[in-house]
Coordinates of all heavy atoms in Angstrom, one line a residue:
K11 N -2.1 56.6 63.7 CA -0.8 57.1 63.0 C 0.3 56.1 63.5 O 0.5 55.9 64.6 CB -0.5 58.5 63.5 CG 0.6 59.2 62.8 CD 0.8 60.6 63.2 CE 1.9 61.4 62.4 NZ 2.1 62.6 62.7
G12 N 1.1 55.6 62.5 CA 2.2 54.9 62.8 C 1.9 53.3 62.8 O 2.8 52.6 62.8
A13 N 0.6 53.0 62.9 CA 0.2 51.5 62.8 C 0.4 51.1 61.3 O 0.3 51.8 60.4 CB -1.3 51.4 63.3
V14 N 0.8 49.8 61.2 CA 1.0 49.1 60.0 C 0.0 47.8 60.1 O 0.2 47.0 61.0 CB 2.4 48.6 59.7 CG1 2.4 47.8 58.5 CG2 3.3 49.9 59.7
V15 N -1.0 47.8 59.2 CA -1.9 46.7 59.2 C -2.1 46.2 57.8 O -2.4 46.9 56.8 CB -3.4 47.2 59.7 CG1 -4.3 46.1 59.6 CG2 -3.3 47.7 61.0
S16 N -1.8 44.8 57.6 CA -1.9 44.2 56.2 C -2.6 42.9 56.4 O -2.3 42.1 57.3 CB -0.6 44.1 55.7 OG 0.3 43.2 56.4
D17 N -3.5 42.7 55.4 CA -4.1 41.4 55.2 C -4.8 41.0 56.5 O -4.6 39.7 57.0 CB -3.3 40.3 54.7 CG -2.6 40.7 53.3 OD1 -3.5 41.2 52.5 OD2 -1.5 40.4 53.0
S18 N -5.5 41.7 57.3 CA -6.0 41.5 58.7 C -7.5 42.0 58.6 O -7.9 42.9 57.9 CB -5.2 42.1 59.6 OG -3.9 41.6 59.6
L19 N -8.1 41.5 59.7 CA -9.4 42.0 60.0 C -9.4 42.6 61.3 O -9.0 42.0 62.4 CB -10.5 40.9 60.1 CG -10.8 40.1 58.7 CD1 -11.7 39.0 59.1 CD2 -11.5 41.1 57.9
V20 N -9.8 43.9 61.5 CA -9.7 44.7 62.7 C -11.0 45.2 63.0 O -11.6 46.0 62.2 CB -8.6 45.8 62.6 CG1 -8.5 46.5 64.0 CG2 -7.1 45.3 62.3
T21 N -11.6 44.8 64.1 CA -12.9 45.2 64.5 C -12.9 46.6 65.0 O -12.0 47.0 65.8 CB -13.4 44.3 65.5 OG1 -13.4 43.0 65.1 CG2 -14.9 44.6 65.9
E22 N -14.0 47.4 64.8 CA -14.2 48.7 65.3 C -14.0 48.7 66.8 O -14.3 47.8 67.5 CB -15.6 49.2 65.0 CG -15.9 50.6 65.4 CD -17.3 50.9 64.8 OE1 -18.0 50.2 64.2 OE2 -17.7 52.0 65.3
G23 N -13.3 49.7 67.3 CA -13.2 49.9 68.7 C -11.8 49.4 69.2 O -11.5 49.6 70.4
S24 N -11.0 48.9 68.2 CA -9.7 48.5 68.7 C -8.7 49.7 68.5 O -9.0 50.6 67.6 CB -9.2 47.4 67.8 OG -10.1 46.2 68.0
E25 N -7.5 49.6 69.1 CA -6.6 50.6 69.0 C -5.3 50.0 68.6 O -4.7 49.2 69.5 CB -6.4 51.5 70.3 CG -7.6 52.2 70.8 CD -7.4 53.1 72.0 OE1 -6.3 53.3 72.4 OE2 -8.4 53.3 72.7
V26 N -4.8 50.3 67.4 CA -3.5 49.6 66.9 C -2.5 50.7 66.7 O -2.7 51.6 65.8 CB -3.9 48.9 65.6 CG1 -2.6 48.3 65.0 CG2 -4.9 47.8 65.8
Y27 N -1.5 50.6 67.4 CA -0.3 51.5 67.3 C 0.9 50.8 66.9 O 1.9 51.4 66.4 CB 0.0 52.2 68.6 CG -1.2 52.9 69.2 CD1 -2.0 52.4 70.2 CD2 -1.5 54.1 68.7 CE1 -3.2 53.0 70.7 CE2 -2.7 54.8 69.3 CZ -3.5 54.2 70.2 OH -4.5 54.9 70.7
G28 N 0.9 49.4 66.8 CA 2.1 48.7 66.3 C 1.8 48.1 64.9 O 1.1 48.8 64.1
S29 N 2.1 46.8 64.7 CA 2.0 46.3 63.4 C 1.1 45.0 63.6 O 1.2 44.2 64.4 CB 3.3 45.9 62.7 OG 4.0 44.8 63.3
V30 N 0.3 44.8 62.6 CA -0.6 43.6 62.6 C -0.6 43.0 61.1 O -0.8 43.7 60.1 CB -2.2 44.0 62.9 CG1 -3.0 42.8 62.8 CG2 -2.2 44.6 64.3
Q31 N -0.2 41.6 61.0 CA -0.2 41.0 59.7 C -0.9 39.7 59.8 O -0.8 38.9 60.7 CB 1.3 40.7 59.3 CG 2.1 42.0 59.2 CD 3.5 41.6 59.0 OE1 3.9 40.4 58.7 NE2 4.4 42.6 59.1
H32 N -1.8 39.5 58.8 CA -2.6 38.2 58.7 C -3.1 37.8 59.9 O -3.1 36.6 60.3 CB -1.6 37.1 58.2 CG -0.8 37.4 56.9 ND1 0.4 37.1 56.7 CD2 -1.3 38.1 55.8 CE1 0.9 37.5 55.5 NE2 -0.2 38.1 55.0
S33 N -3.9 38.7 60.5 CA -4.5 38.4 61.8 C -5.9 38.9 61.9 O -6.3 39.7 61.2 CB -3.6 39.0 63.0 OG -2.3 38.5 63.0
V34 N -6.6 38.5 63.0 CA -8.1 38.9 63.3 C -7.8 39.6 64.7 O -7.5 38.9 65.6 CB -8.9 37.7 63.3 CG1 -10.4 38.2 63.7 CG2 -9.0 37.0 62.0
I35 N -8.3 40.8 64.8 CA -8.3 41.6 65.9 C -9.8 42.0 66.3 O -10.5 42.5 65.5 CB -7.5 42.9 65.9 CG1 -6.1 42.7 65.1 CG2 -7.5 43.7 67.1 CD1 -5.2 41.8 66.0
F36 N -10.3 41.5 67.5 CA -11.6 41.8 67.9 C -11.7 43.1 68.6 O -10.7 43.8 68.8 CB -12.0 40.6 68.8 CG -12.4 39.4 68.2 CD1 -11.4 38.5 67.7 CD2 -13.6 39.0 68.0 CE1 -11.8 37.3 67.1 CE2 -14.0 37.9 67.3 CZ -13.1 37.0 66.9
A37 N -12.9 43.4 69.0 CA -13.3 44.8 69.5 C -12.5 44.9 70.9 O -12.3 44.1 71.7 CB -14.8 44.9 69.8
G38 N -12.1 46.3 71.1 CA -11.5 46.7 72.5 C -10.1 46.2 72.7 O -9.6 46.4 73.7
V39 N -9.4 45.7 71.6 CA -8.1 45.4 71.8 C -7.2 46.5 71.6 O -7.5 47.5 70.8 CB -7.7 44.3 70.6 CG1 -6.3 44.0 70.5 CG2 -8.5 43.0 70.8
T40 N -6.1 46.5 72.4 CA -5.1 47.5 72.2 C -3.7 46.8 71.9 O -3.2 46.0 72.6 CB -4.9 48.3 73.6 OG1 -6.1 48.9 73.9 CG2 -3.8 49.4 73.4
I41 N -3.2 47.3 70.8 CA -1.8 46.9 70.4 C -1.0 48.1 70.5 O -1.1 49.1 69.6 CB -1.8 46.2 69.0 CG1 -2.8 45.0 69.0 CG2 -0.4 45.8 68.5 CD1 -3.1 44.4 67.7
E42 N 0.0 48.1 71.4 CA 0.8 49.3 71.6 C 1.9 49.5 70.5 O 2.3 48.5 69.8 CB 1.4 49.3 73.0 CG 0.4 49.3 74.1 CD 1.0 49.4 75.5 OE1 2.2 49.2 75.8 OE2 0.3 49.6 76.5
E43 N 2.5 50.6 70.5 CA 3.5 51.0 69.6 C 4.7 50.0 69.8 O 5.0 49.7 71.1 CB 4.0 52.5 69.9 CG 5.1 52.9 68.8 CD 5.4 54.4 69.2 OE1 4.7 55.0 69.8 OE2 6.5 54.7 68.7
G44 N 5.3 49.5 68.7 CA 6.3 48.6 68.7 C 6.0 47.1 69.0 O 6.9 46.3 68.9
A45 N 4.7 46.9 69.2 CA 4.3 45.4 69.3 C 4.0 45.0 67.9 O 3.5 45.8 67.0 CB 3.0 45.4 70.1
S46 N 4.1 43.6 67.7 CA 3.8 43.0 66.4 C 2.9 41.9 66.6 O 3.1 40.9 67.5 CB 5.0 42.5 65.7 OG 5.9 43.6 65.4
V47 N 1.8 41.7 65.8 CA 1.0 40.5 65.9 C 0.9 40.0 64.4 O 0.6 40.7 63.5 CB -0.5 41.0 66.3 CG1 -1.5 39.8 66.1 CG2 -0.5 41.6 67.7
I48 N 1.3 38.7 64.4 CA 1.5 38.0 63.0 C 0.7 36.7 63.1 O 0.9 36.0 64.0 CB 2.9 37.8 62.7 CG1 3.7 39.2 62.8 CG2 3.1 37.2 61.3 CD1 5.2 39.0 63.2
D49 N -0.1 36.4 62.1 CA -0.8 35.2 61.9 C -1.6 34.7 63.4 O -1.4 33.6 63.7 CB 0.2 34.1 61.5 CG 0.8 34.3 60.2 OD1 0.2 34.9 59.3 OD2 2.1 34.0 60.0
S50 N -2.2 35.6 63.9 CA -2.9 35.3 65.3 C -4.3 35.8 65.3 O -4.7 36.6 64.5 CB -1.9 36.0 66.3 OG -0.6 35.6 66.3
V51 N -5.0 35.3 66.3 CA -6.3 35.8 66.7 C -6.2 36.5 68.0 O -5.9 35.8 69.0 CB -7.3 34.8 66.6 CG1 -8.7 35.2 67.0 CG2 -7.3 34.1 65.3
I52 N -6.6 37.6 68.2 CA -6.7 38.5 69.4 C -8.1 38.8 69.8 O -8.7 39.4 69.1 CB -5.8 39.8 69.4 CG1 -4.4 39.5 68.7 CG2 -5.6 40.4 70.7 CD1 -3.5 38.5 69.4
M53 N -8.5 38.2 71.0 CA -9.9 38.2 71.4 C -10.2 39.4 72.1 O -9.3 40.3 72.5 CB -10.2 37.0 72.2 CG -10.1 35.6 71.5 SD -11.0 35.4 70.0 CE -12.5 35.0 70.8
P54 N -11.4 39.8 72.3 CA -11.9 41.2 72.8 C -11.1 41.5 74.1 O -10.9 40.7 75.0 CB -13.3 41.0 73.1 CG -13.8 39.9 72.1 CD -12.6 38.9 72.1
Y55 N -10.7 42.8 74.2 CA -10.2 43.5 75.3 C -8.8 43.0 75.7 O -8.4 43.3 76.9 CB -11.2 43.6 76.5 CG -12.4 44.1 76.0 CD1 -13.6 43.3 75.8 CD2 -12.6 45.5 75.8 CE1 -14.8 43.8 75.3 CE2 -13.7 46.1 75.3 CZ -14.9 45.2 75.0 OH -16.1 45.6 74.6
A56 N -8.2 42.2 74.9 CA -6.7 41.9 75.2 C -5.8 43.0 74.9 O -6.2 44.0 74.1 CB -6.4 40.7 74.3
V57 N -4.7 43.0 75.6 CA -3.7 44.2 75.5 C -2.3 43.6 75.1 O -1.9 42.7 75.8 CB -3.5 44.9 76.7 CG1 -2.5 46.0 76.5 CG2 -4.9 45.7 77.1
I58 N -1.8 44.1 74.0 CA -0.5 43.6 73.6 C 0.4 44.8 73.9 O 0.4 45.9 73.2 CB -0.4 43.2 72.0 CG1 -1.6 42.2 71.7 CG2 1.0 42.6 71.8 CD1 -1.6 41.0 72.5
K59 N 1.3 44.7 74.8 CA 2.1 45.8 75.4 C 3.3 46.0 74.3 O 3.7 45.2 73.6 CB 2.8 45.6 76.7 CG 1.7 45.4 77.8 CD 1.2 46.8 78.1 CE 0.3 46.6 79.4 NZ -0.1 48.0 79.9
R60 N 3.9 47.2 74.5 CA 5.1 47.8 73.6 C 6.2 46.6 73.5 O 6.7 46.1 74.5 CB 5.7 49.0 74.4 CG 6.9 49.6 73.7 CD 7.4 50.9 74.4 NE 6.2 51.8 74.8 CZ 5.8 52.8 73.9 NH1 6.5 53.0 72.7 NH2 4.9 53.7 74.1
G61 N 6.6 46.4 72.3 CA 7.7 45.5 72.1 C 7.4 44.1 72.1 O 8.3 43.3 71.8
A62 N 6.0 43.7 72.4 CA 5.9 42.3 72.4 C 5.7 41.7 71.0 O 5.2 42.4 70.0 CB 4.5 42.1 73.3
V63 N 5.8 40.5 70.8 CA 5.6 39.9 69.4 C 4.8 38.6 69.7 O 5.0 37.7 70.5 CB 7.0 39.4 68.8 CG1 6.7 38.6 67.5 CG2 7.9 40.6 68.6
V64 N 3.6 38.6 69.0 CA 2.7 37.6 69.1 C 2.6 36.9 67.6 O 2.2 37.6 66.7 CB 1.3 38.0 69.5 CG1 0.3 36.9 69.5 CG2 1.4 38.7 70.9
R65 N 3.0 35.7 67.6 CA 3.0 35.0 66.3 C 2.4 33.5 66.4 O 2.8 32.9 67.2 CB 4.4 34.8 65.8 CG 4.8 34.2 64.5 CD 6.3 34.0 64.3 NE 7.0 35.2 64.2 CZ 7.2 35.9 63.0 NH1 6.7 35.3 61.8 NH2 7.9 36.9 62.9
R66 N 1.5 33.4 65.3 CA 0.8 32.1 65.4 C 0.3 31.6 66.8 O 0.6 30.6 67.2 CB 1.7 30.9 64.8 CG 2.1 31.0 63.4 CD 3.0 30.0 62.7 NE 2.8 28.7 63.3 CZ 1.8 27.9 62.7 NH1 1.1 28.3 61.6 NH2 1.7 26.7 63.2
A67 N -0.7 32.6 67.2 CA -1.2 32.4 68.6 C -2.6 32.9 68.7 O -3.0 33.5 67.8 CB -0.4 33.2 69.5
I68 N -3.2 32.3 69.7 CA -4.6 32.8 70.1 C -4.4 33.4 71.5 O -4.0 32.7 72.4 CB -5.6 31.7 70.1 CG1 -5.7 31.1 68.7 CG2 -6.9 32.1 70.6 CD1 -6.6 29.8 68.7
V69 N -4.8 34.7 71.5 CA -4.8 35.4 72.9 C -6.3 35.6 73.3 O -7.0 36.3 72.5 CB -4.1 36.8 72.7 CG1 -4.0 37.5 74.1 CG2 -2.5 36.4 72.3
A70 N -6.7 35.1 74.4 CA -8.1 35.1 74.9 C -8.5 36.5 75.3 O -7.6 37.3 75.6 CB -8.3 34.0 75.9
E71 N -9.7 36.6 75.6 CA -10.4 37.8 76.2 C -9.7 38.3 77.4 O -9.3 37.5 78.3 CB -11.9 37.6 76.5 CG -12.7 37.3 75.3 CD -14.1 37.1 75.8 OE1 -14.7 38.1 76.5 OE2 -14.7 36.2 75.3
N72 N -9.4 39.6 77.5 CA -8.9 40.3 78.6 C -7.5 39.9 79.0 O -7.1 40.0 80.2 CB -9.9 40.1 79.9 CG -11.2 40.7 79.7 OD1 -11.3 41.9 79.2 ND2 -12.2 39.9 79.8
A73 N -6.7 39.1 78.2 CA -5.4 38.8 78.6 C -4.5 39.9 78.3 O -4.8 40.9 77.5 CB -4.9 37.6 77.6
V74 N -3.5 39.9 78.8 CA -2.4 41.2 78.8 C -1.0 40.4 78.4 O -0.6 39.6 79.3 CB -2.4 42.0 80.0 CG1 -1.1 43.1 79.8 CG2 -3.6 42.6 80.4
I75 N -0.6 40.8 77.3 CA 0.8 40.2 76.9 C 1.8 41.4 77.3 O 1.7 42.5 76.8 CB 0.9 39.9 75.3 CG1 -0.3 39.0 75.0 CG2 2.3 39.4 75.0 CD1 -0.3 37.7 75.7
G76 N 2.7 41.1 78.2 CA 3.6 42.1 78.8 C 4.6 42.6 77.8 O 4.9 42.0 76.8
A77 N 5.2 43.7 78.1 CA 6.2 44.4 77.3 C 7.3 43.5 77.0 O 7.8 42.8 77.9 CB 6.7 45.7 78.0
G78 N 7.7 43.4 75.7 CA 8.8 42.4 75.4 C 8.6 41.0 75.4 O 9.5 40.3 75.1
C79 N 7.4 40.6 75.6 CA 7.0 39.2 75.6 C 7.1 38.5 74.2 O 7.0 39.3 73.2 CB 5.6 38.8 76.1 SG 5.5 39.0 77.9
M80 N 7.3 37.2 74.1 CA 7.4 36.4 72.7 C 6.4 35.4 73.0 O 6.7 34.5 73.8 CB 8.8 36.0 72.6 CG 9.9 37.0 72.4 SD 9.8 38.0 71.0 CE 10.1 36.8 69.6
V81 N 5.3 35.4 72.1 CA 4.3 34.4 72.2 C 4.2 33.7 70.9 O 4.0 34.3 69.8 CB 2.9 35.2 72.6 CG1 1.9 34.0 72.6 CG2 2.9 35.9 74.0
G82 N 4.5 32.5 70.9 CA 4.3 31.7 69.6 C 5.7 31.7 68.8 O 6.6 32.5 69.2
E83 N 5.7 31.0 67.7 CA 6.9 30.9 66.9 C 6.5 30.8 65.5 O 5.2 30.5 65.2 CB 7.7 29.7 67.3 CG 8.2 29.7 68.8 CD 9.0 28.5 69.1 OE1 9.9 28.0 68.5 OE2 8.6 27.9 70.3
E84 N 7.4 30.9 64.6 CA 7.1 30.9 63.1 C 6.6 29.6 62.6 O 5.8 29.6 61.6 CB 8.3 31.4 62.3 CG 8.0 31.6 60.9 CD 9.1 32.3 60.1 OE1 10.1 32.8 60.9 OE2 9.1 32.4 58.9
T85 N 7.0 28.6 63.3 CA 6.5 27.2 62.9 C 6.2 26.4 64.2 O 6.3 27.0 65.3 CB 7.7 26.4 62.3 OG1 8.9 26.3 63.3 CG2 8.3 27.1 61.1
G86 N 5.4 25.3 64.0 CA 5.1 24.6 65.2 C 3.6 24.8 65.4 O 2.9 25.5 64.6
N87 N 3.1 24.3 66.5 CA 1.6 24.4 66.9 C 1.4 25.8 67.4 O 2.2 26.6 67.8 CB 1.3 23.4 68.0 CG 1.3 22.0 67.4 OD1 1.0 21.8 66.3 ND2 1.6 21.1 68.3
I88 N 0.1 26.1 67.4 CA -0.5 27.4 67.9 C -0.3 27.5 69.3 O -0.5 26.6 70.1 CB -1.9 27.5 67.6 CG1 -2.3 27.3 66.1 CG2 -2.5 28.8 68.1 CD1 -1.7 28.3 65.2
A89 N 0.2 28.7 69.7 CA 0.5 29.0 71.1 C -0.9 29.5 71.6 O -1.5 30.4 70.9 CB 1.5 30.0 71.5
V90 N -1.4 29.4 72.9 CA -2.6 29.8 73.5 C -2.3 30.5 74.8 O -1.7 29.9 75.7 CB -3.7 28.8 73.6 CG1 -4.9 29.3 74.1 CG2 -3.9 28.0 72.2
V91 N -2.9 31.9 74.9 CA -2.8 32.5 76.2 C -4.3 32.6 76.7 O -5.0 33.1 75.9 CB -2.2 33.9 76.2 CG1 -2.3 34.7 77.4 CG2 -0.7 33.7 75.6
G92 N -4.6 32.0 77.8 CA -6.0 32.0 78.3 C -6.7 33.3 78.7 O -6.0 34.3 78.9
Q93 N -7.9 33.2 78.9 CA -8.7 34.3 79.3 C -8.3 35.0 80.7 O -8.0 34.2 81.5 CB -10.2 33.9 79.5 CG -11.2 34.9 79.9 CD -12.6 34.6 79.7 OE1 -12.8 33.5 79.2 NE2 -13.5 35.5 80.2
G94 N -8.0 36.3 80.7 CA -7.7 37.0 81.8 C -6.3 36.7 82.3 O -5.8 37.3 83.3
V95 N -5.3 36.1 81.5 CA -4.0 35.9 81.9 C -3.2 37.2 81.7 O -3.4 37.7 80.6 CB -3.5 34.7 81.2 CG1 -1.9 34.5 81.4 CG2 -4.2 33.3 81.6
T96 N -2.3 37.4 82.5 CA -1.3 38.6 82.4 C 0.1 38.0 82.4 O 0.6 37.4 83.3 CB -1.3 39.5 83.4 OG1 -2.8 40.3 83.5 CG2 -0.4 40.6 83.3
L97 N 0.7 38.1 81.3 CA 2.0 37.6 81.1 C 3.0 38.7 81.6 O 2.8 39.9 81.1 CB 2.5 37.3 79.6 CG 1.8 36.1 79.0 CD1 2.4 35.9 77.5 CD2 2.0 34.9 79.8
P98 N 3.9 38.5 82.5 CA 4.9 39.5 82.9 C 5.8 39.8 81.8 O 6.0 39.1 80.9 CB 5.6 38.8 84.0 CG 4.9 37.6 84.4 CD 4.0 37.2 83.2
A99 N 6.3 41.1 81.8 CA 7.3 41.6 80.8 C 8.4 40.6 80.6 O 8.9 40.0 81.5 CB 7.9 43.0 81.2
G100 N 8.7 40.3 79.3 CA 9.9 39.5 78.9 C 9.7 37.9 78.9 O 10.5 37.2 78.5
V101 N 8.4 37.5 79.2 CA 8.2 36.1 79.2 C 8.0 35.5 77.8 O 7.6 36.2 76.9 CB 6.8 35.9 80.0 CG1 6.3 34.4 79.7 CG2 7.0 36.2 81.5
S102 N 8.4 34.3 77.6 CA 8.3 33.8 76.2 C 7.2 32.5 76.4 O 7.3 31.8 77.5 CB 9.6 33.1 75.8 OG 10.5 34.1 75.4
V103 N 6.4 32.4 75.4 CA 5.5 31.2 75.4 C 5.8 30.6 74.0 O 5.7 31.1 73.0 CB 4.1 31.7 75.4 CG1 3.2 30.5 75.2 CG2 3.7 32.4 76.7
T104 N 6.2 29.4 74.1 CA 6.8 28.6 72.9 C 5.7 28.0 72.0 O 4.5 28.0 72.5 CB 7.7 27.5 73.3 OG1 7.0 26.5 74.2 CG2 8.9 28.0 74.0
A105 N 6.0 27.7 70.9 CA 4.9 27.0 70.0 C 4.3 25.9 70.6 O 4.9 25.0 71.3 CB 5.6 26.6 68.7
G106 N 2.9 25.8 70.5 CA 2.1 24.7 71.2 C 1.8 24.9 72.6 O 1.1 24.1 73.2
Q107 N 2.5 25.8 73.3 CA 2.4 26.0 74.7 C 0.9 26.6 75.0 O 0.5 27.6 74.4 CB 3.4 26.8 75.4 CG 3.4 26.9 76.9 CD 4.6 27.6 77.5 OE1 5.4 28.1 76.8 NE2 4.6 27.7 78.8
Q108 N 0.3 26.1 76.2 CA -1.0 26.8 76.5 C -0.8 27.4 78.0 O -0.4 26.6 78.9 CB -2.2 25.8 76.6 CG -2.4 25.3 75.1 CD -3.6 24.3 75.1 OE1 -4.4 24.3 76.0 NE2 -3.7 23.5 74.0
V109 N -1.1 28.7 78.1 CA -0.8 29.3 79.4 C -2.3 29.6 79.9 O -3.1 30.2 79.3 CB 0.0 30.7 79.2 CG1 0.1 31.4 80.4 CG2 1.4 30.3 78.6
D110 N -2.5 29.3 81.3 CA -3.8 29.7 81.8 C -3.4 30.4 83.2 O -2.3 30.6 83.5 CB -4.7 28.6 82.0 CG -4.1 27.4 82.9 OD1 -3.2 27.7 83.8 OD2 -4.5 26.3 82.7
E111 N -4.5 30.6 83.9 CA -4.4 31.4 85.2 C -3.5 30.6 86.3 O -3.0 31.2 87.2 CB -5.7 31.7 85.8 CG -6.6 30.7 86.2 CD -7.4 29.9 85.1 OE1 -7.3 30.4 84.0 OE2 -8.0 28.9 85.4
N112 N -3.3 29.3 86.0 CA -2.5 28.5 87.0 C -1.1 28.4 86.5 O -0.3 27.7 87.4 CB -3.1 27.2 87.1 CG -4.6 27.2 87.6 OD1 -4.8 28.0 88.7 ND2 -5.5 26.4 87.1
T113 N -0.6 28.9 85.4 CA 0.7 28.8 85.0 C 1.6 29.7 85.9 O 1.2 30.9 86.1 CB 0.7 29.2 83.6 OG1 -0.1 28.5 82.7 CG2 2.3 29.1 83.0
K114 N 2.7 29.2 86.3 CA 3.7 30.0 87.1 C 4.8 30.5 86.2 O 5.2 29.8 85.4 CB 4.3 29.1 88.2 CG 3.3 28.3 89.1 CD 2.7 29.4 90.0 CE 1.9 28.6 91.1 NZ 0.6 29.2 91.2
F115 N 5.1 31.7 86.5 CA 6.1 32.4 85.6 C 7.4 32.7 86.5 O 7.5 32.9 87.6 CB 5.6 33.8 85.0 CG 4.5 33.5 84.1 CD1 3.2 33.9 84.6 CD2 4.7 33.0 82.9 CE1 2.1 33.7 83.8 CE2 3.5 32.8 82.1 CZ 2.3 33.2 82.5

């Protein structure tokens, strides 16, 4: 209830409470209320927290995008958040940036 999904593939077992457009969502993903995923691929068991915006990005398995984060941009290269990475609330990842477990915030 309240989710908005358009032109996307969402795998069974995902929980979508926010909005998803032109994206692929794998199994076990949680997209919280108020979060937006646009033109992106979200791998298994990733979590997109409330108010985060993921645009033109790949979010790897078990990654957590914190509340209010901005990942990717409308233009430019694809942003990548690596496997198991947790972005603290409010962090921005710009177009083309790759974030892994060694990235300092």
